[in-house]
Each structure stands twice: as structure tokens, then as C-alpha cells.
Amino acid sequence: MFVLAIQPPPTRSWLRLASPNTTQPTAIFTVMNYNILCDKYATRHVYGYCPSWALKWDYRRNHILEELRSYSADLIALQVCLFVCFIQMI
């Protein structure tokens, strides 16, 4: 039996586009853009270096949700997201 140690992805850094102007009312919000790679494209043919279990939507969905929640962004844009996957995530 061999055990595979799974490392979490590296922490992503935020890109600050501007500093708020403190002399007038300002709306400050965070935007996150995330490519979830829909299940249709997460195949062993394309990602042969990745274990099959790690490409399965049930596994990836839970980890993607965990990462999205960890950043507490005000607005999240999802790329390469099938409608059925989006419904499962909300």
C-alpha cells in the first residue's frame, strides 16, 4: 500500500488595482475570477499527468468551493462552467 501526500495549492495573491480615496465616499469591493474547468474538459486525455480521481467533478467541486469561500470575494466570475455544475455549487 502506498500513500499519496496531497499538497494544497499555493496561496494566491490579491492584485490591488488602486488605493481608496479617503477624502470622499468610496465603494470598495473584491472581484475574483476563477476557471473551474468543467467536467467535460477534465479528461485523462488532456490531463494525463493528473490522477483520475483528482479529475472527478465530485472531488474537484468540494475543493473549488472551499477555495472560493476562503477568499470571501464580493463578486465571483466563473469561467468554463457548465450550467449543471453551477447549479450544484449554489
Side-chain angles (χ1 to χ4, degrees):
M1 177 178 171
F2 98 79
V3 177
L4 180 64
I6 301 172
Q7 298 294 324
T11 302
R12 300 173 196 268
S13 57
W14 287 97
L15 176 61
R16 183 178 293 275
L17 298 179
S19 295
N21 181 347
T22 56
T23 62
Q24 53 186 316
T26 306
I28 299 173
F29 59 93
T30 56
V31 178
M32 180 181 197
N33 185 37
Y34 199 98
N35 184 328
I36 68 167
L37 183 64
C38 75
D39 199 34
K40 177 181 177 181
Y41 300 117
T43 65
R44 291 281 293 152
H45 177 73
V46 178
Y47 297 95
Y49 55 86
C50 192
S52 298
W53 56 266
L55 293 172
K56 294 189 185 305
W57 177 242
D58 288 337
Y59 174 82
R60 293 187 316 108
R61 179 185 62 223
N62 293 333
H63 287 81
I64 291 168
L65 283 172
E66 185 179 306
E67 185 169 8
L68 292 175
R69 289 180 182 131
S70 74
Y71 289 105
S72 300
D74 297 308
L75 178 65
I76 299 173
L78 298 177
Q79 295 180 24
V80 193
C81 182
L82 290 176
F83 180 74
V84 68
C85 296
F86 174 75
I87 293 300
Q88 289 176 345
M89 293 179 82
I90 57 173

